[in-house]
């Protein structure tokens, strides 16, 4: 959630961490702050509520000079998003500054004890206990890294932290348990950051920290230690994507850029993986032999948010084509139940970021119970990608807009690839396999066709700008698309929206329908088309306004729907990749017309690294 950047090196540290922070703003944006160790050996702290631009304005021309600094953008968990609760937090003596991402669960107990020992707290945050704990040991002479390690032994919960001290001027100490953190290696300078986009302008060489590790970072070297201070050997990873891919490239918002990138992101998900002749696919990263895959008797897919919607589509695909009993679980539920999984269960975690705390915890729980785990992940080197037994990378490129778009369509494609692999090892014939492969290969071009209808969708959006409720209905493979369409609208336009299986409408939502209630039907010509037409009739009979997503050339619904958007024909299981596109655009244009901040909707965060 929160974003962290730290720097130590020859250059002026303040502007560098501020610039890095701007690239992390999508992680959280309710307040921001930075601390610079200045030339006189003092720590200067600046904070502001609101976005990073507010911090920049607060700093104005008073930018402190110094060569070591920390910065933080916050997504509040404990305490309101105001100046005192913004990070960095300092100790009683002004020796230390600390930033934190995560939740310290035993903060109230630690705080009471620290107050009894004379510490003065300024904020309501759980984070502040950390800085006072480090202070107790560091001011008695313990080196910063030792003091941090000892402090962390006392805390329950999750953290990614970075700390600086006036007593060790050219050092940033960072530590991780449950919240992502990396060390980025420059030339005569080094960084710590919660994600690589913060440092890409300066270096591509990074070392990902694992849970229980501490990094001691200086301008010309860094050391990675475990909590008992033993030194660890770590691999340096080269980041492959560049800065241009995380900039807006002429689009008004990241969300629109990412929607429009979908022909390419899908091409990248499929590249080198389709084997048309054999009617199957090549997935290099599964790390499972055909024998292992044949032993799978049950599949559990687990995820959160939009990725959970992709999982629902995966479940339908897996049961239809591979005939493997499959189910979908919210990761936050799975992790705290007593789930039935064993060595014959394949647990597939789906996550754009690869850092969602609940999805990670669900996969760890599955592993602990003996299940094989796979990750369908976008961010290379993320925690989930590193912890699962194997997986499929989406290769969609960085997704910055908080509302997920291109990751969703790539997740569906990746799930189709996994389904083909499992199906062809079982009863799926080579002819059926070839058909799926051919249709997958056509998808990027078809996606481009649908996206070229953006101006038409924008016109439809004009009429929905003042709606207060919108219902999304679909059946079969397009029921999860109804959920996703409603989620997109809620997330970025703050209009209440609900997704429902179309036939379930009769068991409740039909009561809401009147001439003020727009209903979006996702009704391509698939196996359940005729059933959906009946549901459209039911809405029209009650005066509802219908917007329909239909297959090209559909005349049946044209008579009933008030407005429609056509999508090209494909296999039923792949229709979601096309039918979701008008819904992404619809949500986008409505939100823009309502003046909402599309890329940074209120209260949301891109990467939910706290549970
Ligand atoms: C947050 C984001 C959503 C995303 C969900 C799961 O809620 O705002 O867009 O779908 O997390 O994230 P993941 O990275 O695990 O796919």
């Amino acid at each position: 959630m929160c974003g962290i950047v730290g720097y130590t090196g020859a250059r002026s540290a303040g502007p560098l961490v501020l610039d890095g922070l701007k690239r992390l703003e999508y992680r959280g944006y309710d307040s921001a702050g930075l601390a610079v160790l200045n030339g006189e050996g003092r720590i200067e702290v600046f904070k502001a509520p609101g976005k990073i631009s507010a911090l920049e304005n607060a700093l104005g021309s008073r930018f402190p000079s110094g060569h070591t600094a920390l910065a933080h953008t916050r997504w509040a968990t404990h305490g309101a998003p105001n100046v005192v609760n913004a990070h960095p937090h300092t100790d009683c003596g002004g020796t230390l500054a600390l930033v934190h991402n995560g939740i310290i669960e035993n903060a109230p107990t630690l705080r009471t004890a620290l107050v009894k020992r004379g510490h003065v707290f300024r904020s309501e945050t759980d984070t502040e206990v950390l800085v006072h704990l480090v202070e107790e040991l560091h001011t008695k002479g313990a080196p910063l890294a030792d003091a941090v390690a000892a402090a962390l032994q006392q805390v329950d919960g999750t953290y990614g932290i970075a700390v600086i001290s006036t007593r060790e001027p050219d050092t940033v100490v960072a530590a991780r348990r449950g919240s992502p953190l990396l060390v980025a290696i420059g030339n005569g300078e080094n960084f710590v950051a919660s994600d690589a986009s913060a440092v890409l302008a300066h270096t591509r060489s990074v070392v990902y920290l694992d849970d229980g590790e501490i990094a001691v970072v200086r301008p010309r070297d860094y050391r990675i230690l475990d909590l008992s201070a033993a030194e660890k050997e770590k691999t340096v990873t080269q980041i492959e994507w560049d800065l241009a891919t995380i900039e807006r490239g002429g689009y008004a918002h990241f969300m629109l850029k990412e929607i429009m990138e979908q022909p390419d992101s899908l091409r990248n998900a499929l590249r080198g993986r389709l084997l048309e002749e054999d009617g199957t696919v090549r997935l290099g990263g599964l790390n499972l032999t055909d024998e292992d895959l044949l032993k799978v008797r049950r599949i559990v897919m687990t995820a959160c948010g939009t990725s959970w919607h992709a999982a629902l589509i995966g479940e339908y695909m897996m049961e239809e084509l591979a005939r493997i009993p499959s189910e979908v679980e919210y990761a936050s539920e799975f992790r705290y139940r007593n789930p039935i999984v064993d060595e014959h269960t394949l647990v597939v975690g789906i996550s754009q970021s690869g850092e969602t705390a609940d999805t990670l915890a669900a996969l760890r729980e599955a592993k602990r119970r003996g299940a094989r785990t796979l990750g369908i992940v976008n961010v290379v080197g993320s925690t989930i990608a590193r912890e699962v037994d194997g997986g499929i990378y989406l290769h969609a490129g960085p997704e910055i807009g908080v509302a997920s778009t291109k990751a969703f369509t790539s997740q569906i494609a990746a799930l189709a690839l996994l389904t083909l692999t499992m199906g062809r090892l079982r009863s799926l014939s080579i002819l059926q396999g070839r058909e799926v492969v051919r249709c997958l290969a056509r998808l990027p071009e078809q996606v481009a066709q649908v996206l070229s209808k953006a101006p038409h969708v924008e016109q439809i959006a004009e009429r929905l700008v003042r709606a207060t409720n919108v219902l999304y209905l679909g059946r079969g493979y397009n029921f999860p698309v109804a959920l996703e369409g409603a989620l997109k609208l809620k997330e970025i336009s703050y209009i209440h929206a609900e997704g429902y299986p179309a036939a379930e409408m009769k068991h409740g939502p039909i009561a809401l329908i009147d001439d003020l209630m727009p209903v979006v039907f996702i009704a391509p010509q698939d196996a359940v088309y005729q059933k959906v037409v009946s549901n459209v009739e039911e809405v029209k009979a009650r005066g509802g306004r219908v917007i329909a997503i239909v297959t090209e050339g559909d005349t049946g619904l044209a008579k009933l729907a008030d407005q429609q958007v056509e999508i090209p024909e494909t296999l039923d299981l792949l229709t979601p990749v096309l039918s979701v596109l008008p819904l992404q655009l619809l949500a986008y244009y409505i939100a823009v017309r309502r003046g909402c901040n599309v890329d940074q909707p209120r209260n949301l965060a891109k990467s939910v690294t706290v549970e």
Side-chain angles (χ1 to χ4, degrees):
M1 321 256 337
C2 312
I4 291 175
V5 200
Y7 173 86
T8 181
R11 292 193 275 170
S12 177
L16 284 172
V17 292
L18 186 68
D19 184 60
L21 209 55
K22 287 183 193 158
R23 301 192 186 281
L24 295 182
E25 194 165 28
Y26 68 94
R27 296 182 70 95
Y29 33 78
D30 58 38
S31 53
L34 63 78
V36 179
L37 195 52
N38 70 17
E40 290 121 47
R42 280 187 302 108
I43 288 175
E44 289 184 60
V45 177
F46 296 84
K47 304 178 185 187
K51 297 195 186 302
I52 291 162
S53 52
L55 175 66
E56 211 169 6
N57 292 339
L59 276 161
S61 55
R62 296 177 298 145
F63 224 109
S65 68
H67 297 284
T68 301
L70 296 176
H72 185 269
T73 176
R74 180 167 185 246
W75 187 89
T77 59
H78 290 59
N82 54 26
V83 171
V84 263
N85 289 334
H87 301 212
H89 291 285
T90 48
D91 62 334
C92 303
T95 309
L96 298 162
L98 181 147
V99 292
H100 168 224
N101 173 17
I103 296 176
I104 304 302
E105 287 167 1
N106 58 340
T109 324
L110 292 169
R111 188 175 175 131
T112 310
L114 283 159
V115 169
K116 275 200 189 131
R117 298 202 290 273
H119 290 268
V120 179
F121 280 73
R122 299 182 196 98
S123 75
E124 305 155 81
T125 65
D126 54 334
T127 302
E128 201 181 337
V129 298
L130 289 173
V131 75
H132 292 286
L133 285 174
V134 177
E135 177 185 25
E136 289 206 320
L137 292 144
H138 187 48
T139 49
K140 285 187 198 136
L144 184 58
D146 294 0
V148 168
L152 294 177
Q153 310 274 17
Q154 301 177 53
V155 307
D156 297 332
T158 55
Y159 52 79
I161 59 163
V163 198
I164 56 173
S165 160
T166 54
R167 293 168 172 238
E168 292 180 33
D170 297 322
T171 309
V172 179
V173 171
R176 154 180 181 149
R177 181 162 84 201
S179 298
L181 215 54
L182 55 84
V183 175
I185 305 149
N187 190 3
E189 59 184 14
N190 289 314
F191 298 80
V192 300
S194 47
D195 106 37
S197 40
V199 295
L200 262 191
H202 312 287
T203 176
R204 282 156 187 280
S205 306
V206 303
V207 174
Y208 292 106
L209 293 193
D210 286 310
D211 283 352
E213 290 180 345
I214 296 189
V216 184
V217 180
R218 292 185 229 274
R220 298 195 173 276
D221 58 62
Y222 64 91
R223 290 183 303 136
I224 312 288
L225 313 168
D226 65 20
L227 286 182
S228 62
E231 198 137 338
K232 296 185 80 177
E233 278 292 313
K234 298 283 289 183
T235 321
V236 177
T237 305
Q238 296 299 320
I239 304 284
E240 281 166 18
W241 34 276
D242 56 23
L243 211 52
T245 51
I246 56 166
E247 283 173 349
R248 278 208 304 269
Y251 286 98
H253 298 96
F254 280 113
M255 183 180 177
L256 185 60
K257 173 181 177 248
E258 287 157 8
I259 291 174
M260 292 303 180
E261 273 172 359
Q262 287 175 103
D264 284 336
S265 50
L266 275 166
R267 263 183 215 109
N268 291 339
L270 302 174
R271 180 165 293 122
R273 289 171 164 169
L274 301 181
L275 303 174
E276 191 185 333
E277 191 53 32
D278 300 331
T280 188
V281 299
R282 182 196 297 119
L283 293 172
L286 292 186
N287 297 333
L288 293 170
T289 61
D290 287 356
E291 290 72 50
D292 293 333
L293 293 174
L294 279 165
K295 280 187 203 142
V296 172
R297 296 205 195 122
R298 189 169 149 254
I299 296 181
V300 176
M301 302 185 197
T302 189
C304 304
T306 289
S307 301
W308 184 81
H309 295 156
L312 290 175
I313 297 167
E315 175 194 6
Y316 282 29
M317 285 180 184
M318 203 57 88
E319 295 205 336
E320 187 191 345
L321 270 70
R323 309 295 300 148
I324 303 173
S326 304
E327 61 206 89
V328 176
E329 292 253 15
Y330 282 114
S332 52
E333 290 296 314
F334 180 91
R335 64 181 290 194
Y336 290 118
R337 293 199 303 109
N338 188 6
I340 302 173
V341 295
D342 57 22
E343 71 274 21
H344 298 296
T345 313
L346 181 65
V347 177
V348 183
I350 305 168
S351 174
Q352 186 285 128
S353 61
E355 302 292 353
T356 301
D358 284 324
T359 311
L360 176 61
L363 285 163
R364 284 179 177 162
E365 180 60 18
K367 217 170 180 176
R368 201 181 64 76
R369 288 168 183 256
R372 297 284 190 139
T373 55
L374 287 184
I376 294 183
V377 169
N378 191 32
V379 178
V380 176
S382 55
T383 312
I384 291 178
R386 286 180 288 132
E387 290 200 11
V388 284
D389 297 320
I392 307 174
Y393 274 127
L394 302 181
H395 300 306
E399 192 181 68
I400 307 289
V402 166
S404 183
T405 52
K406 64 176 178 175
F408 179 67
T409 45
S410 292
Q411 286 164 344
I412 301 170
L415 284 160
L417 298 177
L418 185 62
T419 303
L420 265 180
T421 305
M422 302 298 267
R424 289 288 289 117
L425 288 173
R426 292 173 169 79
S427 59
L428 192 73
S429 73
I430 188 164
L431 291 180
Q432 288 171 300
R434 281 183 188 157
E435 179 66 359
V436 179
V437 170
R438 271 196 296 271
C439 288
L440 275 167
R442 274 205 299 272
L443 272 182
E445 193 42 48
Q446 294 181 318
V447 165
Q449 271 177 49
V450 180
L451 293 175
S452 71
K453 298 179 182 173
H456 173 53
V457 181
E458 193 172 0
Q459 280 170 5
I460 299 176
E462 289 287 320
R463 305 214 190 163
L464 298 185
V465 171
R466 271 170 290 281
T468 45
N469 295 289
V470 181
L471 193 57
Y472 288 73
L473 300 174
R475 294 180 84 143
Y477 284 107
N478 283 290
F479 157 52
V481 176
L483 297 178
E484 177 61 8
L487 178 65
K488 287 287 88 82
L489 190 69
K490 271 187 277 218
E491 280 179 312
I492 60 169
S493 73
Y494 318 136
I495 294 175
H496 172 249
E498 277 191 70
Y500 246 79
E504 275 293 304
M505 169 186 77
K506 290 197 278 295
H507 301 285
I510 200 163
L512 300 171
I513 291 170
D514 60 18
D515 53 0
L516 296 175
M517 174 81 151
V519 184
V520 180
F521 274 95
I522 303 106
Q525 259 156 9
D526 58 9
V528 288
Y529 170 74
Q530 280 308 334
K531 306 276 173 202
V532 180
V533 173
S534 309
N535 300 137
V536 177
E537 298 271 15
E538 288 154 10
V539 169
K540 287 308 288 179
R542 285 155 185 87
R545 222 162 90 204
V546 170
I547 295 125
I549 312 300
V550 300
T551 305
E552 270 164 12
D554 184 312
T555 47
L557 276 177
K559 285 180 239 121
L560 289 172
D562 296 273
Q563 279 132 336
Q564 61 181 39
V565 184
E566 294 189 340
I567 59 169
E569 204 174 332
T570 184
L571 290 174
D572 288 7
L573 72 142
L574 300 179
T575 50
V577 172
L578 303 176
S579 60
V580 77
L581 304 169
L583 308 187
Q584 294 172 343
L585 287 166
L586 193 66
Y588 172 77
Y589 289 121
I590 292 173
V592 170
R593 282 277 289 136
R594 288 166 66 95
C596 301
N597 185 337
V598 170
D599 284 332
Q600 294 171 349
R602 70 183 178 212
N603 304 337
L604 297 179
K606 180 70 184 158
S607 182
V608 182
T609 54
V610 293
E611 64 171 292

